[in-house]
Amino acid sequence: MNINKLFFHIHYCNSSKFKETGRYPRKFTRTLSHHEFVLVTEGAGNIVIGGKTYPLKQGMLFYISPGVMHSLDPDPKDPPCFLTVHFSYAQVNFNDGQWDITDEPRMLPLHAAQELKDAYSVQDLFHKLVDCWDGKLPGYELMSRTLLQQLGIAIFQSVRKQQWSGSNSRKMEKIIQYMHQHVSSKITLTELSEMVQLSPTYLSRTFKETTGYAVIEFFNKIKIDKAKELLIEGDKKVKEVAQALGFTDEFYFSRLFKRMEGISPSEYYSKNVHGV
């Protein structure tokens, strides 16, 4: 799943500050029809999600998907505090100039509970999201959706850092850097796998999980972004831009550009240089 292609709708956000108000949480059991993130900021207790019990402690993130029964059992001597956001989402794609909305999968590819090693960035974004939602200033709904998407990315990145070794993370970064350095050339999966000493199959799977894109798809994205830059500069024809980026077939380049951007290279040039 590519988090960058998800469009979020927020039902509501909440910041539970029981110690400040003296209103402590009660034990409850419920099932939601939407998704929920819960970040524990302090306190103790237990939460049961899908029949499995997890301890409540600072830095724990819980993901509750639709239809999953869960219950809260707070510690009365050390009541927990939470940041929560309730949301739904859809996957939105833009291909060949057309918008496509895909029904949301039943759940995000996250475990029900994870202890974030680097919880600061996640907690900071979560606080900004809740504050924005509570403030209800003009434009708060759009800003809140943007913050939720940033929060989702931060959560996925934190979880991935814990799942993959530092060695693999450095290898993915090395590949992306290599792509930028060789944007005017052709590269192959075999070439990249030999460079980082991973099998092509393992590299493909790990790269997709890390970036949300297949290896060559990501490289083509870098090429097309560079093509837009070259076209806007206005001193190269479409054929010259294609050649500068390692495409021997101008028509293949144009088809790829249109598939990714929704318009042809010449249309992009006219709109952005001449305003036509």
Side-chain angles (χ1 to χ4, degrees):
M1 178 184 293
N2 187 348
I3 188 74
N4 299 298
K5 294 183 178 180
L6 300 185
F7 181 86
F8 292 96
H9 170 76
I10 299 175
H11 298 284
Y12 64 94
C13 302
N14 189 32
S15 175
S16 304
K17 301 177 181 178
F18 300 108
K19 290 183 179 180
E20 294 180 11
T21 63
R23 294 170 52 250
Y24 298 132
R26 297 179 180 179
K27 184 174 181 178
F28 66 77
T29 299
R30 68 184 181 187
T31 302
L32 300 173
S33 60
H34 52 260
H35 305 259
E36 181 185 13
F37 285 144
V38 180
L39 180 66
V40 182
T41 56
E42 58 180 304
N46 292 298
I47 187 170
V48 180
I49 303 175
K52 187 171 182 180
T53 302
Y54 304 94
L56 296 172
K57 58 181 179 179
Q58 185 177 7
M60 286 294 294
L61 176 79
F62 298 100
Y63 166 55
I64 301 165
S65 55
V68 175
M69 183 177 292
H70 55 283
S71 60
L72 176 71
D73 187 9
D75 184 338
K77 295 181 181 179
D78 187 16
C81 295
F82 311 101
L83 295 170
T84 66
V85 56
H86 296 248
F87 63 94
S88 296
Y89 67 86
Q91 182 166 309
V92 180
N93 299 291
F94 185 67
N95 296 311
D96 292 329
Q98 299 293 323
W99 291 101
D100 175 58
I101 300 177
T102 305
D103 290 339
E104 64 179 282
R106 191 63 180 166
M107 61 184 295
L108 294 169
L110 291 170
H111 294 300
Q114 40 248 323
E115 184 173 2
L116 302 176
K117 299 300 181 184
D118 180 20
Y120 175 78
S121 60
V122 172
Q123 184 166 319
D124 182 58
L125 279 168
F126 221 136
H127 273 296
K128 289 179 179 177
L129 168 59
V130 173
D131 289 345
C132 179
W133 183 264
D134 288 344
K136 297 290 188 293
L137 296 175
Y140 81 94
E141 290 174 305
L142 175 59
M143 181 62 72
S144 296
R145 288 198 300 270
T146 303
L147 286 168
L148 177 55
Q149 185 150 24
Q150 292 176 359
L151 175 63
I153 291 170
I155 290 170
F156 273 77
Q157 288 176 336
S158 179
V159 171
R160 284 168 180 164
K161 284 179 182 177
Q162 294 170 228
Q163 291 175 338
W164 297 314
S165 68
S167 173
N168 273 355
S169 295
R170 288 191 295 273
K171 287 178 179 180
M172 297 307 106
E173 291 172 2
K174 183 177 181 180
I175 287 173
I176 293 172
Q177 183 180 25
Y178 184 84
M179 288 177 175
H180 283 288
Q181 293 171 344
H182 295 80
V183 68
S184 60
S185 308
K186 291 183 178 180
I187 61 172
T188 64
L189 183 59
T190 300
E191 175 186 351
L192 295 175
S193 63
E194 290 175 352
M195 182 179 72
V196 295
Q197 297 183 324
L198 295 173
S199 72
T201 301
Y202 183 79
L203 170 58
S204 295
R205 183 174 68 251
T206 304
F207 192 90
K208 181 73 177 284
E209 290 173 344
T210 305
T211 65
Y213 295 93
V215 175
I216 301 305
E217 180 187 10
F218 191 88
F219 187 46
N220 282 335
K221 187 176 186 304
I222 291 175
K223 282 179 175 286
I224 296 305
D225 285 344
K226 183 63 177 179
K228 291 188 288 185
E229 179 184 328
L230 295 174
L231 287 166
I232 288 176
E233 288 177 358
D235 58 354
K236 283 185 172 64
K237 297 179 179 179
V238 172
K239 183 177 182 179
E240 293 172 325
V241 170
Q243 292 174 342
L245 295 172
F247 292 97
T248 55
D249 186 341
E250 174 190 350
F251 299 104
Y252 171 73
F253 164 71
S254 295
R255 288 196 302 272
L256 179 65
F257 190 103
K258 186 170 184 178
R259 188 173 77 231
M260 297 180 71
E261 295 300 318
I263 57 176
S264 69
S266 56
E267 289 172 326
Y268 183 87
Y269 172 82
S270 296
K271 286 185 176 181
N272 289 276
V273 177
H274 298 301
V276 178

